[in-house]
């Protein structure tokens, strides 16, 4: 149902909300956005789509790493997605970019594909993403695969991370509307139950030290699968501060609901944009929990009035059977993925909530644990963009 709803929204380019409550949510989000250059889209299992500048193109920055991984999942089996071996060398590890992978081993090595995906998706490693572009699908192929098989069409993947670092003006070539980005998350987590996409979910279910000051900060006891993106800094402003996520949460009476959310900000002060993203996330979370509880109360009242003593049947959001089935496989796979990464890296790159706040083109990463030095310069993660 949600896939069909999203296709309708994107296909005819209109805003729809099924209830006045969703319109209220829209106006409250709009008040947070204010006059800043932001776009927000929320697609809910409750039948609502909320959009503030949702059809406007924004630079994705590292959010496009989710698009890359999803395209790979659509062209590979789950076994290939998890177990393919990838060899990389020192020439694949560019020095002037964010790369915990390079910091772990500046001379290269051989790892499972799932480990590279972990670095790309959960640590936002730019070199890992470019190794994937080089060995598997080019940016143009990622773009083609997704547009051929997805309901979302209003996006473009044209450049690698290295392309953008060589020429930052190219970053605008990797763009998406918030609606289409939220729609891809909705598709991947609520509409596609193929084993390879479930394997992608497993990678994204692993813990990350990054992005905790954005969408994740506003979510209560739900489960969040997110990908952040941060642009280049100039004169105290950042070209893009983004986050996109799929969130599912328990209903008070049993079962689960879910929503996909994308928030993009352009030409902003990073800390201010992050605060707004977290505030919007908290608002969307609170709205869905409140609405779910109101629905539960109404169901109990109706059931009690018609048949005293009748137990209200558990209800699940549309598509959650797929998600919960995926979660079962995720529970089996995710520990294996994390163990592989920790065996490879020593777990050196988990950081405290505040340790990624610094910025600048020559900043060094300072994690919660000391870095493992395996080669000359291996402890440096100098960058022009930092994940947050």
């Amino acid at each position: 149902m949600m896939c069909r709803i999203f296709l309708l929204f994107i296909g005819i380019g209109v805003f729809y909300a099924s209830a006045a409550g969703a319109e209220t949510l829209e106006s409250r989000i709009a008040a947070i956005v204010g006059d800043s250059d932001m776009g927000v889209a929320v697609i809910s299992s409750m039948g609502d789509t909320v959009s503030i500048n949702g059809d406007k193109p924004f630079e994705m920055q590292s959010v496009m790493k989710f698009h890359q991984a999803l395209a790979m999942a659509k062209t590979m089996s789950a076994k290939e997605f998890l177990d393919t071996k990838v060899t990389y060398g020192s020439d694949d590890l560019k020095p002037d970019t964010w790369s915990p992978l390079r910091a772990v081993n500046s001379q290269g090595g051989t790892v499972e594909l799932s480990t590279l995906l972990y670095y790309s998706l959960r640590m936002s490693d730019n070199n890992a993403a470019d190794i994937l572009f080089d060995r598997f699908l080019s940016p143009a192929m990622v773009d083609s695969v997704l547009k051929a098989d997805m309901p979302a069409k209003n996006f473009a993947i044209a450049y690698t991370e290295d392309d953008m670092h060589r020429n930052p003006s190219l970053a605008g070539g990797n763009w998406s509307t918030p609606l289409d980005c939220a729609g891809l998350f909705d598709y991947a987590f609520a509409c596609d139950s193929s084993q390879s996409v479930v394997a992608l979910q497993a990678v994204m279910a692993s813990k990350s030290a990054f992005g905790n000051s954005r969408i994740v900060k506003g979510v209560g006891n739900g489960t969040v699968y997110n990908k952040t993106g941060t642009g280049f800094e100039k004169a105290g402003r950042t070209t893009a501060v983004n986050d996109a996520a799929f969130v599912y949460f328990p209903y008070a009476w049993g079962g689960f609901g879910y929503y996909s959310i994308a928030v993009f900000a352009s030409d902003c002060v990073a800390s201010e944009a992050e605060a707004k993203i977290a505030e919007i996330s908290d608002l969307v979370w609170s709205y869905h929990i409140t609405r779910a509880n109101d629905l539960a109360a109404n169901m109990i009242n109706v059931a009690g009035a018609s048949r005293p003593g009748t137990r209200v049947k558990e209800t699940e959001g549309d598509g959650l059977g797929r998600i919960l089935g995926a979660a079962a496989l995720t529970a089996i796979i995710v520990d294996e993925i994390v163990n592989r990464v920790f065996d490879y890296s020593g777990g050196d790159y988990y950081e405290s909530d505040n340790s990624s706040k610094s910025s600048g083109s020559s900043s060094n990463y300072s994690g919660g644990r000391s870095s493992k030095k395996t080669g000359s310069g291996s402890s440096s993660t100098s960058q022009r963009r930092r994940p947050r």
Side-chain angles (χ1 to χ4, degrees):
M1 179 63 176
M2 286 303 301
C3 300
R4 292 193 296 272
I5 290 173
F6 174 68
L7 182 59
L8 173 63
F9 287 127
I10 298 303
I12 64 177
V14 298
F15 167 77
Y16 166 79
S18 65
E23 295 174 353
T24 300
L25 178 61
E26 180 193 16
S27 64
R28 294 173 69 188
I29 293 174
I32 296 172
V33 169
D35 59 1
S36 57
D37 189 4
M38 296 184 74
V40 183
V42 182
I43 300 173
S44 169
S45 60
M46 295 180 179
D48 305 326
T49 291
V50 174
S51 169
I52 309 296
N53 298 321
D55 57 357
K56 178 180 177 178
F58 288 85
E59 287 183 12
M60 281 195 288
Q61 296 292 343
S62 287
V63 173
M64 66 89 174
K65 291 168 183 170
F66 171 77
H67 295 62
Q68 177 189 47
L70 180 58
M72 290 175 63
K74 298 303 293 182
T75 58
M76 304 176 75
S77 69
K79 182 173 177 58
E80 290 172 329
F81 198 75
L82 292 170
D83 292 337
T84 297
K85 300 284 187 179
V86 182
T87 298
Y88 65 97
S90 58
D91 56 335
D92 292 308
L93 301 172
K94 303 297 189 296
D96 188 22
T97 193
W98 170 253
S99 183
L101 181 66
R102 184 192 62 245
V104 168
N105 186 355
S106 64
Q107 303 307 308
T110 298
V111 295
E112 287 93 350
L113 174 57
S114 57
T115 298
L116 278 183
L117 287 164
Y118 173 89
Y119 272 94
S120 178
L121 290 168
R122 307 310 292 141
M123 303 184 93
S124 208
D125 192 297
N126 295 330
N127 282 323
D130 280 352
I131 292 168
L132 297 175
F133 276 136
D134 181 69
R135 307 296 198 274
F136 297 95
L137 297 176
S138 69
M141 294 170 69
V142 169
D143 188 272
S144 177
V145 167
L146 294 182
K147 286 180 178 174
D149 200 35
M150 306 290 162
K153 307 295 181 186
N154 294 317
F155 67 90
I157 311 291
Y159 299 107
T160 66
E161 289 285 356
D162 189 49
D163 291 335
M164 292 187 289
H165 279 79
R166 290 175 182 272
N167 183 358
S169 68
L170 297 178
N174 292 342
W175 63 269
S176 177
T177 67
L179 270 172
D180 284 76
C181 189
L184 279 184
F185 272 79
D186 183 79
Y187 173 89
F189 289 93
C191 301
D192 191 327
S193 58
S194 63
Q195 290 186 345
S196 57
V197 173
V198 169
L200 167 60
Q201 294 178 18
V203 175
M204 293 193 70
S206 54
K207 292 181 180 179
S208 173
F210 308 114
N212 295 324
S213 57
R214 301 184 189 179
I215 288 174
V216 172
K217 187 174 182 179
V219 173
N221 64 334
T223 300
V224 185
Y225 302 83
N226 76 305
K227 184 68 198 79
T228 58
T230 305
F232 298 91
E233 294 186 11
K234 183 177 180 181
R237 299 186 72 81
T238 304
T239 57
V241 175
N242 305 329
D243 203 359
F246 181 87
V247 180
Y248 75 88
F249 56 91
Y251 287 142
W253 70 92
F256 290 83
Y258 62 89
Y259 58 88
S260 295
I261 177 172
V263 188
F264 294 163
S266 296
D267 186 27
C268 55
V269 176
S271 59
E272 294 175 358
E274 287 193 323
K276 286 193 173 188
I277 292 173
E279 186 177 1
I280 290 168
S281 177
D282 179 71
L283 176 62
V284 173
W285 168 264
S286 299
Y287 167 80
H288 282 86
I289 294 301
T290 299
R291 190 172 175 193
N293 289 340
D294 289 345
L295 178 60
N298 290 335
M299 291 174 65
I300 292 171
N301 290 337
V302 171
S306 58
R307 289 194 299 256
T310 300
R311 183 175 182 270
V312 179
K313 184 178 180 180
E314 290 188 358
T315 302
E316 294 182 353
D318 185 66
L320 256 292
R322 297 189 183 96
I323 297 167
L324 297 177
L329 182 56
T330 293
I332 297 171
I333 296 173
V334 67
D335 285 342
E336 172 66 17
I337 292 171
V338 173
N339 286 338
R340 290 177 185 177
V341 174
F342 268 56
D343 287 344
Y344 181 72
S345 68
D348 292 329
Y349 293 94
Y350 278 86
E351 63 177 0
S352 65
D353 287 344
N354 296 321
S355 60
S356 64
K357 297 297 183 185
S358 61
S359 60
S361 61
S362 62
S363 299
N364 289 331
Y365 174 84
S366 176
R369 306 181 187 181
S370 61
S371 62
K372 180 191 297 182
K373 297 182 180 180
T374 58
S376 176
S378 63
S379 64
S380 170
T381 56
S382 63
Q383 67 221 9
R384 290 152 90 179
R385 292 181 294 157
R386 294 188 66 87
R388 293 176 182 267

